[in-house]
Amino acid sequence: MFAIFKTALRAIRRNILRSFLTMLGIIVGISAVIVGVSMGAGAKAEVDKQIASMGNNLLIIFSGNMSRGGVRGGFGMSPTLTDRDYETLRREVQGLAGISPEVRTSAQVAAGNQNTQVSIWGVSADYADIRSWKFQSGDNFTELDVQAANKVCLLGKTTATALFGEGIDPVGQIVRIKNVPFTVVGWLAAKGANAFGSDQDDCILMPYTSAMKRLSGDTKFRAFNVQFASAEVLTEVTNQIAAILRQNHQITPDREDDFSIRSQQEMSDFANASNRIMTLLIGAFAGISLVVGGIGIMNIMLVSVTERTREIGIRLAVGARARDVLRQFLTEAVLLSVVGGALGIGTGYWLAPLLTKFAGFPTLISNSSVILAFSVSAIIGVVFGFFPALKAANLDPIEALRYE
Amino acid sequence: MEPIIKLEDFRRTYRNGSLEVHAVRGVTLSIYPGEFVAIMGASGSGKSTMMNTVGCLDRPTSGKYVLDGVEIASLNRDELADLRNRKLGFVFQGFNLLSRTSALENVELPMLYSRPAVSARLQRDRALKALGLVGLADRADHFPNQLSGGQQQRVAIARALVNEPRVLLADEPTGNLDSRTSVEVMGVFQKLNEQGITIVMVTHELDIASFAKRKIVMRDGVVRTDETVAHRSNADEAIAVLEAEQKAVHLA
Ligand SMILES: Nc1ncnc2c1ncn2[C@@H]1O[C@H](COP(=O)(O)OP(=O)(O)O)[C@@H](O)[C@H]1O
Ligand SMILES: [Mg+2]
């Protein structure tokens, strides 16, 4: 075995430039595998972080049936969730830690001579807790503010900066939304972008009652944000909510729900789907490079078999069996591809951080991707080395010896 | 005594499309252990074709070939490879050494394919011993391109001997050598033959054939004559004569 390995190594070293060029396809392919997998893993880690930033043990109940109109189709329909639903859920569901309706509108907001277009979220006093919003200064609005539809609001970091300037505490200031003056009672700490890439800090939160009555005129909610007490009660809570809403909306068993319940897990899956497409594209690129690399190896091995016909004849004459010759050339092909694979892994290791640094892609190299890349390169060696090796093994000893 | 090589009405026909070449057409012949046979004949008379079958590199088109009691026709490729490895040693006209591979490693080559496997240390010991036998122990780590033709052929002989074969087969072993080195190679052959190895050698030079004990002449694929060499040459004496001649040339 050692002798076979030594012979293979010698054959590769003899044509070092040719061997390197042959490996190039594998190097490119394997580094694409490493980079691709690391981008996928990095993006997933990022999404998981963002999903976690939404808060813990979260359910979102959307208006409309998402499975019917495509994943986001529900947003386009007129809302179906009512005040009555809110009251019933709040009263009857066991295992709730918090619940908040959600209405959204977008409006021009002005403070002093600054103004900006902001998305406005009408929510309950539970919302900040449910979504783990921290306060930079000031405090949340209260249940009383909700009941009275008071003109109070919380500013996200980005919005506060746009209206009052970087780092200036807006608490106590007045902002005019559609010419209605609202008092800023809280300044929200920064959260960053969400899983779908939009800035979570570019917002104004206010009591949903205020948003509905004073700004949008909506009478129904687009969603409920629900926090359940612990992971164990997730299914239980989901079932209770579904049952209550179906009853409230008088949905008979033969009809589809006019709401959709999404857990954090499902939302993270959804966000990851787009990353998966990117991973898939890189995977396809890697696959093509690897096939091209494999064909390169097959080609060079065929050349090598022809060049070394006489050597094969000599080996056969002194007693090598077909399988000995096969094994030798297969070893050589696998060595080529595995060395190429190792170089590719090295290149990938070097490339992935650069990608993060210069293109801002999150990357995460895992041991499993290295093992995967290594196995893939070995398999390519076997697959594409097999035909040339078989050709060598089946040479006729007399003709091989006579070959010039 | 049983013959080590036994051919019975051996025929070999090559087919190139519709063209048939009857390279060997009916040879019956027995070679016994300890013989040193020279096969002679004009180019194209079928010598190499016969040697290929005797060497288990090829199989008869018809007829029988029995090597050391084993009928060859019934063996598969691997079994033939095994026979070549254990019972036969080859010496070729063109040496056929692996280039960029040391003399020692060239001699070790047959042992890579031996079963049961030979340990690396034993391979080395046996290869060095075989090189010693042909007088090249001190050239073990030389590469073929650092050796003269005669030395290369002696490395090839060491390679042929390393698995202690029953028969040494040589197809025109002196074809690429000058007369002096040819005689030296014949010296190695005679020494080995004295130690009991059977040798079958193809040559078209009469004076080379005279180092053998038995001479077979072929023509058009059949054996013409098969006789004991009457006035056998001795390589040591021949070298002495050559040296004396050389001295005479220098003196003159
Ligand atoms: N592979 C082959 N295919 C066709 N004809 C062959 C082949 N090998 C040898 N021959 C023919 O068989 C005859 C005997 O060849 P060979 O045994 O090589 O003769 P020798 O070694 O005595 O010179 C020649 O006519 C040669 O052309
Ligand atoms: Mg010939």
Side-chain angles (χ1 to χ4, degrees):
Chain A
M1 192 59 224
F2 178 68
I4 289 180
F5 189 74
K6 203 164 76 175
T7 307
L9 207 59
R10 190 178 287 168
I12 288 171
R13 282 221 313 256
R14 189 174 304 168
N15 286 303
I16 190 76
L17 180 64
R18 187 172 91 180
S19 302
F20 176 74
L21 292 175
T22 304
M23 286 184 240
L24 219 48
I26 301 289
I27 295 173
V28 170
I30 290 294
S31 49
V33 168
I34 293 286
V35 169
V37 172
S38 78
M39 280 171 78
K44 183 170 185 316
E46 195 80 350
V47 165
D48 288 348
K49 203 175 89 197
Q50 288 154 347
I51 295 289
S53 80
M54 289 169 67
N56 284 324
N57 298 342
L58 202 66
L59 280 177
I60 298 185
I61 299 129
F62 293 101
S63 272
N65 190 311
M66 288 193 175
S67 56
R68 191 177 55 215
V71 195
R72 308 194 74 162
F75 291 154
M77 301 170 46
S78 58
T80 57
L81 302 171
T82 64
D83 226 6
R84 183 171 152 249
D85 294 332
Y86 177 45
E87 293 308 326
T88 333
L89 290 175
R90 208 143 81 125
R91 208 171 47 235
E92 291 181 7
V93 177
Q94 305 289 311
L96 281 195
I99 178 166
S100 166
E102 179 183 318
V103 292
R104 258 194 242 178
T105 182
S106 182
Q108 195 76 17
V109 182
N113 57 1
Q114 300 297 318
N115 69 81
T116 176
Q117 186 77 18
V118 186
S119 109
I120 293 165
W121 300 58
V123 294
S124 80
D126 285 352
Y127 188 79
D129 259 0
I130 294 174
R131 286 301 186 93
S132 309
W133 277 106
K134 303 271 181 301
F135 287 84
Q136 184 101 350
S137 84
D139 210 343
N140 199 5
F141 54 80
T142 64
E143 191 68 24
L144 285 174
D145 290 323
V146 175
Q147 278 166 23
N150 283 340
K151 292 178 274 185
V152 292
C153 69
L154 314 174
L155 292 195
K157 184 100 188 272
T158 308
T159 309
T161 303
L163 294 174
F164 297 101
E166 180 77 49
I168 294 178
D169 187 349
V171 172
Q173 304 285 337
I174 303 291
V175 295
R176 304 184 71 82
I177 308 174
K178 288 190 178 168
N179 273 326
V180 184
F182 279 77
T183 307
V184 178
V185 295
W187 185 20
L188 296 166
K191 262 197 177 195
N194 71 6
F196 304 98
S198 58
D199 181 6
Q200 299 183 88
D201 300 320
D202 193 7
C203 70
I204 292 178
L205 305 189
M206 63 174 63
Y208 68 94
T209 44
S210 317
M212 291 164 93
K213 284 187 191 137
R214 300 184 191 281
L215 298 176
S216 70
D218 287 340
T219 54
K220 291 187 176 177
F221 310 124
R222 69 190 294 278
F224 289 121
N225 293 259
V226 169
Q227 190 169 37
F228 44 93
S230 69
E232 294 85 69
V233 299
L234 167 62
T235 323
E236 178 59 30
V237 168
T238 309
N239 290 342
Q240 289 182 58
I241 293 172
I244 289 169
L245 291 179
R246 288 177 72 87
Q247 191 178 25
N248 278 1
H249 297 190
Q250 295 172 332
I251 296 170
T252 50
D254 57 312
R255 279 178 43 222
E256 285 181 350
D257 293 345
D258 60 357
F259 57 89
S260 313
I261 305 178
R262 291 280 176 271
S263 68
Q264 253 167 316
Q265 183 56 49
E266 289 166 308
M267 286 182 276
S268 110
D269 289 348
F270 177 65
N272 276 322
S274 57
N275 294 325
R276 217 168 292 135
I277 289 169
M278 183 190 72
T279 308
L280 220 62
L281 282 175
I282 295 174
F285 172 74
I288 291 167
S289 314
L290 289 174
V291 168
V292 170
I295 291 170
I297 285 183
M298 171 136 68
N299 180 43
I300 224 66
M301 289 309 297
L302 284 171
V303 170
S304 177
V305 168
T306 306
E307 280 177 351
R308 288 156 66 195
T309 299
R310 193 181 256 276
E311 174 195 325
I312 296 164
I314 295 168
R315 289 176 186 276
L316 291 170
V318 302
R321 292 162 300 162
R323 79 193 72 155
D324 294 319
V325 175
L326 184 87
R327 203 178 298 151
Q328 184 188 325
F329 280 87
L330 216 47
T331 304
E332 204 173 307
V334 170
L335 200 64
L336 263 180
S337 65
V338 163
V339 170
L343 291 175
I345 289 170
T347 311
Y349 255 97
W350 174 75
L351 224 54
L354 287 186
L355 210 63
T356 309
K357 197 167 162 196
F358 293 112
F361 282 112
T363 53
L364 198 73
I365 294 180
S366 62
N367 287 339
S368 62
S369 72
V370 170
I371 293 169
L372 171 82
F374 210 72
S375 324
V376 163
S377 59
I379 289 168
I380 283 174
V382 172
V383 168
F384 289 92
F386 195 79
F387 173 64
L390 198 66
K391 199 183 153 203
N394 286 335
L395 282 178
D396 177 65
I398 300 168
E399 271 163 33
L401 277 169
R402 210 183 282 144
Y403 185 85
E404 292 301 331
Chain B
M1 195 163 41
E2 281 298 306
I4 186 146
I5 289 167
K6 193 166 131 199
L7 293 169
E8 264 174 39
D9 194 29
F10 161 58
R11 290 165 194 271
R12 181 68 171 91
T13 305
Y14 294 108
R15 243 177 224 100
N16 283 339
S18 60
L19 197 73
E20 282 197 351
V21 180
H22 299 276
V24 177
R25 41 180 108 200
V27 167
T28 299
L29 126 94
S30 290
I31 296 172
Y32 291 86
E35 284 203 84
F36 183 174
V37 182
I39 297 173
M40 299 197 65
S43 179
S45 57
K47 307 183 295 293
S48 295
T49 301
M50 194 165 85
M51 285 294 268
N52 286 340
T53 294
V54 169
C56 295
L57 291 164
D58 197 9
R59 269 183 281 229
T61 309
S62 73
K64 249 169 87 172
Y65 171 39
V66 181
L67 170 67
D68 203 13
V70 181
E71 163 77 65
I72 293 308
S74 61
L75 301 183
N76 66 25
R77 239 184 101 122
D78 283 354
E79 289 166 329
L80 289 180
D82 208 46
L83 275 187
R84 294 198 293 272
N85 187 256
R86 287 189 294 117
K87 300 203 169 170
L88 302 171
F90 291 93
V91 178
F92 305 94
Q93 177 175 358
F95 319 140
N96 275 337
L97 297 177
L98 299 184
S99 54
R100 298 189 193 83
T101 306
S102 71
L104 185 71
E105 283 175 291
N106 264 292
V107 177
E108 284 175 344
L109 192 66
M111 291 182 285
L112 297 185
Y113 305 113
S114 293
R115 279 166 314 143
V118 183
S119 75
R121 148 161 289 209
L122 194 57
Q123 282 186 24
R124 194 186 151 78
D125 291 349
R126 278 165 57 176
L128 281 173
K129 201 177 127 210
L131 279 171
L133 225 53
V134 297
L136 284 179
D138 56 337
R139 296 284 196 280
D141 36 349
H142 282 53
F143 290 88
N145 60 5
Q146 300 169 320
L147 296 170
S148 73
Q151 287 171 328
Q152 289 187 50
Q153 193 59 300
R154 271 144 69 193
V155 172
I157 294 169
R159 180 179 66 193
L161 292 177
V162 77
N163 267 350
E164 294 172 351
R166 300 293 311 272
V167 185
L168 189 68
L169 300 172
D171 194 346
E172 307 205 20
T174 61
N176 285 8
L177 302 176
D178 61 46
S179 54
R180 162 80 197 235
T181 13
S182 299
V183 175
E184 279 172 10
V185 166
M186 285 306 107
V188 175
F189 276 21
Q190 286 190 330
K191 200 173 82 188
L192 294 170
N193 182 239
E194 271 157 35
Q195 290 166 8
I197 290 186
T198 311
I199 298 177
V200 182
M201 165 182 83
V202 168
T203 181
H204 54 245
E205 296 165 78
L206 201 59
D207 51 338
I208 292 298
S210 70
F211 289 96
K213 292 174 178 166
R214 175 179 169 191
K215 188 176 80 178
I216 293 173
V217 178
M218 294 184 68
R219 197 198 297 161
D220 296 332
V222 294
V223 173
R224 273 284 115 131
T225 63
D226 182 350
E227 60 195 18
T228 308
V229 175
H231 303 285
R232 193 169 178 226
S233 307
N234 179 297
D236 293 342
E237 287 166 13
I239 286 174
V241 170
L242 280 173
E243 273 171 3
E245 277 173 6
Q246 217 159 28
K247 224 171 265 169
V249 170
H250 278 294
L251 291 175

